[in-house]
Amino acid sequence: MKVIIAEKPSVAREIAAIVGAKEKQEGYIQGNGYAVTWALGHLVSLAMPEEYGAVGFNREHLPITPEPFKLIVRQVKADKGYKTDTGAVKQLSIIKKLFEQCDSIIVATDAGREGELIFRYIYHYLKCNKPFNRLWINSLTDKAIREGLANLKNGNEYDNLYLAAKARSEADWLVGINASQALSVAAGYGTYSLGRVQTPTLMMICNRYQENKGFTPQTYVQMLLTLKHNDSLLFTALSCEKFNTLAEADPISERIYNGGMAKVKQVEEKPMTEQAPLLYDLTALQKEANKRFGYTAQDTLTIAQTLYEKKFITYPRTGSRYIPQDVFAEIPDLIRTLSNHPVFGSQATTLLEVPLNNRSVDDSKVTDHHALLITDNKTSELSDKEKEIYTLIIARLLEAFSSACQKSVTTITFDAREYEFIAKSTTIKNLGWRGILQSSDEKTEDGEEQATKLPPLQQGDECEIQSLELLEKQTKPKPIHTESSLLSAMESAGKELENEEERQAMKESGIGTPATRAAIIETLFARDYIRRDKKSLLPTEKGLSVYNVVKSKKIADIQMTGMWENALSKIENGEMSADTFGKGITVYASQVTEELLNTSITVADKSTCCCPKCGKPDMLFFDKVVKCRNVECPVTVFRERSGKQLSDKHITELLTKQKTGTIKGFKSKAGKTFDAALAFDEQFNVVFLFPDKKKR
């Protein structure tokens, strides 16, 4: 018997249908010589510090550097600390039984770094030594699965991928655990979270926020002429010179206006080619979805993953924007499936009549997976959000293989009383790829809408000044990060790169990976380090406090984090030893720990209340919780309780008197309101106290 192990039950069902396994068992599907099971994500993970004897947050334990790392069954949060996930234990026992009974294993977890790690951790934890092959596919269509099963790869071919994943996992543990504990110990109260990629990402958000808020705008004035040549339509020209004040510009503008005419000094017409965009990788899709629809990076990833599991798109967690030659050969058939599309049908049909643009075709730039494509399966039952993301991918497919957009840019320089003015116009000669979404709006460098047409002028022609307007403007700061701009910054390790080619070149030293960046951003929200204001990402008071403490420390070094990410890519490609990387990270984690242990942090209001359990002074009042400053003390009071937001007065009364007076306005799970006092029980948990003295 052969065992096939997928990452999710839904994927296992698709593969089981292909191999003829139809008998549903608990935790797997059996039949035709196969047993198809699933991992339910990370069933096995690296052990927490307690497994190495480092209980609690203590200075003497740091840095914690396990040698070797231990693997344990997945843990889940409990009332006090963590406990073993019973569901994971159960599924692992099923996998173990199947591994013991089988002749060989087919690995069908997601074809990427994390998918490989999920299987290998299970394989090593169960001490399995059965041979295994790898199913490596770009989509979940029946055709792709069949072809993949017919061309299984020897599992050893993916050893470097596993080593890179293992190195990433251990590096994140070493830096995250040690840095978080070190800062918490240095603070003396509260618990703080730092991470190898999480913290540099917070730095980028805070840096941009501080730069934006600290920006002092400079006022300047420009003159705008409205001109007319013979009986032609009116058009405008903007002064090249900028003036500091209206008072400075006013006499000059009056002299120019009274002159009545502006003379053509130079006419320049330049052809311009705007290349078709590359296909989407996950990050590019996330950026576009954030700009157009305001979707978070996690939203887009979740939707794309669903579309993938429904067999409508190829593997979404890709970092490549290219496809290989053999896939390019299939693109005409893929475009042909869109010929009856209600929005893009005519564009698809037209595109098939001309040679396809091959800008997105490059075998050498395809990593584990090629760029995002649709599959040839017809869609059905899509939610509105799924339709929007699917439509983006269709549009980009058609854009990428369309011709370049050809333009002609006309620039006319005028002289008026020895002051120069510029008028610009862009004429589209061939829409090319821009015709797919008709997104051909053009703007000047100053952001002003350009004139759609200028009259046919020659050097020496004179135009009549119809009006002159003084425009008072201000210099603008770089905008606060949105998820779209943050993803770009993560992709290029914080470097401000507008050019697409430069961004692509910097990808190797970006921070995080396309598959992990959404989770990193969501972690910052979960830690209460950042918040959303419409599309903008703003640091919280807690986030800024952490930023101010660590911004000059090694853990906040964005470029160094990019170098580590590049090193992981080299391990994956067999160009670097995982052991060498591990030794470097261990030294780095030790340096980070030492730096943080010698610092201090304040992110909460201290009160005069003493802890009712351990007697420590200065209970800490956070936005969402009030905690004892002693990190080993469990006393915690959450501000929100049964739909009621507790005030500082309520909590202070509870801490000092062990109970409160009757508080009105709590809500039960059934939606009914009730009144009750709050009190501590024997274990210092907060409970309700009703008038009849019964606790609930």
Side-chain angles (χ1 to χ4, degrees):
M1 179 184 73
K2 292 182 180 179
V3 169
I4 301 176
I5 179 168
E7 199 162 314
K8 294 180 179 178
S10 58
V11 177
R13 285 193 293 270
E14 299 292 344
I15 296 172
I18 297 297
V19 299
K22 299 177 181 178
E23 301 169 26
K24 293 183 180 179
Q25 307 290 339
E26 189 171 15
Y28 66 102
I29 307 168
Q30 193 170 21
N32 199 27
Y34 289 92
V36 187
T37 188
W38 46 86
L40 293 172
H42 287 272
L43 289 178
V44 175
S45 58
L46 296 178
M48 297 304 285
E50 291 79 6
E51 295 289 327
Y52 307 103
V55 178
F57 289 13
N58 293 298
R59 184 180 291 264
E60 56 268 25
H61 291 156
L62 300 174
I64 307 165
T65 53
E67 185 57 51
F69 278 90
K70 297 177 183 178
L71 295 174
I72 58 170
V73 182
R74 182 169 63 209
Q75 305 284 293
V76 292
K77 270 193 175 182
D79 292 338
K80 295 181 180 179
Y82 288 83
K83 65 177 183 179
T84 301
D85 183 349
T86 54
V89 171
K90 185 177 181 180
Q91 187 62 17
L92 268 175
S93 67
I94 292 168
I95 294 171
K96 182 179 182 181
K97 180 188 73 172
L98 294 174
F99 279 4
E100 289 171 349
Q101 294 173 351
C102 75
D103 302 314
S104 63
I105 301 164
I106 297 173
V107 185
T109 49
D110 281 359
R113 193 188 284 177
E114 287 309 297
E116 193 67 25
L117 187 69
I118 285 171
F119 165 70
R120 299 287 185 116
Y121 272 180
I122 292 171
Y123 186 81
H124 292 305
Y125 179 79
L126 296 178
K127 296 182 171 57
C128 184
N129 57 10
K130 297 287 177 71
F132 60 91
N133 291 316
R134 198 35 159 121
L135 174 69
W136 195 268
I137 52 179
N138 276 296
S139 76
L140 286 175
T141 62
D142 292 357
K143 178 185 175 185
I145 295 172
R146 284 195 178 92
E147 287 179 354
L149 289 169
N151 295 281
L152 293 171
K153 307 289 186 182
N154 189 302
N156 295 333
E157 291 183 28
Y158 297 92
D159 285 352
N160 287 334
L161 183 67
Y162 160 62
L163 290 173
K166 180 172 176 282
R168 193 277 311 153
S169 177
E170 293 176 356
D172 285 351
W173 193 102
L174 283 167
V175 177
I177 294 289
N178 284 297
S180 298
Q181 289 202 13
L183 190 57
S184 300
V185 168
Y189 52 84
T191 303
Y192 305 98
S193 170
L194 298 178
R196 183 181 63 88
V197 181
Q198 169 193 320
T199 304
T201 304
L202 176 64
M203 294 304 103
M204 289 192 283
I205 294 169
C206 292
N207 284 338
R208 179 64 66 86
Y209 175 81
Q210 298 280 47
E211 185 181 345
N212 181 279
K213 294 304 175 186
F215 182 81
T216 303
Q218 301 294 319
T219 301
Y220 66 94
V221 178
Q222 283 183 285
M223 294 180 285
L224 184 70
L225 294 180
T226 300
L227 302 171
K228 187 175 184 180
H229 177 63
N230 296 333
D231 294 326
S232 64
L233 295 172
L234 299 178
F235 62 96
T236 59
L238 192 66
S239 65
C240 296
E241 189 162 342
K242 297 176 181 178
F243 304 91
N244 293 322
T245 63
L246 286 169
E248 181 186 348
D250 194 54
I252 298 169
S253 66
E254 189 175 341
R255 188 159 64 90
I256 289 172
Y257 181 71
N258 290 337
M261 303 295 288
K263 189 174 185 178
V264 177
K265 187 175 180 180
Q266 184 181 14
V267 179
E268 187 178 25
E269 188 173 341
K270 281 186 176 180
M272 192 175 95
T273 299
E274 191 177 8
Q275 292 292 346
L278 295 169
L279 291 163
Y280 285 134
D281 65 357
L282 177 59
T283 302
L285 177 67
Q286 288 169 320
K287 290 192 292 185
E288 190 67 22
N290 182 252
K291 287 178 187 174
R292 287 181 178 272
F293 313 123
Y295 290 168
T296 67
Q298 186 60 51
D299 287 340
T300 303
L301 174 56
T302 301
I303 295 165
Q305 185 70 22
T306 301
L307 289 170
Y308 168 68
E309 290 173 15
K310 288 183 176 180
K311 309 183 185 183
F312 297 147
I313 66 170
T314 58
Y315 188 67
R317 298 168 188 259
T318 176
S320 177
R321 302 189 68 178
Y322 295 86
I323 59 171
Q325 284 288 345
D326 61 336
V327 174
F328 184 47
E330 299 172 6
I331 294 299
D333 288 337
L334 206 53
I335 295 173
R336 199 167 286 113
T337 64
L338 299 170
S339 57
N340 294 320
H341 192 278
V343 178
F344 300 109
S346 60
Q347 290 100 320
T349 302
T350 302
L351 188 55
L352 288 170
E353 296 170 356
V354 296
L356 297 182
N357 188 336
N358 65 354
R359 182 168 181 253
S360 292
V361 184
D362 190 334
D363 289 62
S364 67
K365 292 181 179 178
V366 177
T367 51
D368 293 341
H369 297 278
H370 60 62
L372 259 170
L373 297 171
I374 61 169
T375 66
D376 56 8
N377 284 355
K378 288 187 178 180
T379 56
S380 60
E381 298 179 10
L382 294 184
S383 68
D384 290 343
K385 289 185 176 182
E386 288 168 355
K387 284 177 186 173
E388 287 175 328
I389 296 300
Y390 186 70
T391 300
L392 279 184
I393 297 169
I394 289 176
R396 181 48 59 91
L397 166 72
L398 296 175
E399 287 176 338
F401 296 109
S402 295
S403 61
C405 177
Q406 302 293 341
K407 305 177 182 180
S408 176
V409 181
T410 301
T411 305
I412 303 178
T413 308
F414 295 90
D415 177 83
R417 296 284 182 161
E418 299 181 353
Y419 284 87
E420 285 191 349
F421 290 78
I422 296 287
K424 281 189 176 183
S425 175
T426 299
T427 304
I428 303 292
K429 300 292 187 183
N430 176 23
L431 264 176
W433 67 272
R434 285 225 175 250
I436 302 300
L437 289 173
Q438 294 292 316
S439 54
S440 54
D441 297 335
E442 299 297 329
K443 292 182 181 292
T444 63
E445 290 179 4
D446 294 284
E448 303 293 337
E449 293 293 333
Q450 297 189 57
T452 54
K453 194 173 183 181
L454 292 173
L457 295 170
Q458 295 180 350
Q459 187 176 348
D461 285 347
E462 291 193 333
C463 296
E464 184 181 348
I465 299 175
Q466 298 290 302
S467 65
L468 188 152
E469 185 181 356
L470 293 179
L471 304 178
E472 194 170 16
K473 301 182 178 182
Q474 286 191 327
T475 54
K476 295 179 181 179
K478 289 175 183 173
I480 289 170
H481 271 308
T482 61
E483 288 207 29
S484 178
S485 64
L486 179 62
L487 287 166
S488 289
M490 293 174 77
E491 199 173 27
S492 54
K495 286 185 166 53
E496 300 293 335
L497 301 174
E498 296 299 325
N499 181 275
E500 173 66 30
E501 299 297 334
E502 289 180 4
R503 275 205 303 272
Q504 290 297 314
M506 274 300 296
K507 267 191 173 184
E508 289 186 358
S509 50
I511 66 173
T513 66
T516 61
R517 287 173 189 140
I520 293 161
I521 296 170
E522 290 302 316
T523 297
L524 294 175
F525 283 111
R527 301 289 184 251
D528 194 30
Y529 287 166
I530 62 174
R531 63 184 177 87
R532 285 190 183 90
D533 181 10
K534 297 179 181 176
K535 287 188 179 181
S536 297
L537 300 179
L538 305 177
T540 61
E541 183 181 345
K542 183 178 181 182
L544 282 172
S545 297
V546 172
Y547 163 77
N548 287 325
V549 170
V550 304
K551 63 184 178 182
S552 60
K553 306 291 189 291
K554 284 183 180 293
I555 194 168
D557 190 332
I558 297 166
Q559 306 302 324
M560 180 173 285
T561 305
M563 288 167 56
W564 289 132
E565 213 66 60
N566 192 20
L568 290 170
S569 295
K570 289 184 176 180
I571 295 170
E572 191 173 320
N573 296 327
E575 300 168 9
M576 183 176 181
S577 161
D579 287 341
T580 301
F581 174 84
K583 289 173 183 175
I585 281 286
T586 300
V587 172
Y588 172 72
S590 298
Q591 293 171 339
V592 163
T593 303
E594 185 178 354
E595 271 191 327
L596 293 171
L597 283 173
N598 294 320
T599 191
S600 62
I601 182 171
T602 303
V603 298
D605 294 327
K606 295 181 182 179
S607 72
T608 55
C609 300
C610 290
C611 174
K613 184 177 191 307
C614 67
K616 288 276 186 183
D618 300 333
M619 288 291 291
L620 299 168
F621 282 62
F622 294 90
D623 290 341
K624 296 181 181 179
V625 71
V626 175
K627 301 179 75 170
C628 178
R629 66 174 298 179
N630 177 7
V631 294
E632 295 182 2
C633 179
V635 172
T636 301
V637 181
F638 290 96
R639 287 188 179 274
E640 199 280 330
R641 188 168 185 89
S642 294
K644 177 77 176 178
Q645 194 73 14
L646 300 179
S647 67
D648 286 354
K649 184 178 178 181
H650 290 142
I651 297 173
T652 300
E653 185 181 13
L654 175 64
L655 293 169
T656 54
K657 299 180 181 179
Q658 309 292 295
K659 67 177 182 178
T660 69
T662 300
I663 300 172
K664 296 184 177 182
F666 292 108
K667 270 191 179 180
S668 68
K669 290 181 180 178
K672 295 181 179 180
T673 58
F674 65 92
D675 304 335
L678 295 176
F680 286 114
D681 66 10
E682 293 79 4
Q683 287 77 42
F684 292 93
N685 297 313
V686 180
V687 295
F688 288 118
L689 193 63
F690 295 98
D692 61 0
K693 306 301 181 187
K694 290 181 180 178
K695 293 179 181 179
R696 189 177 77 180

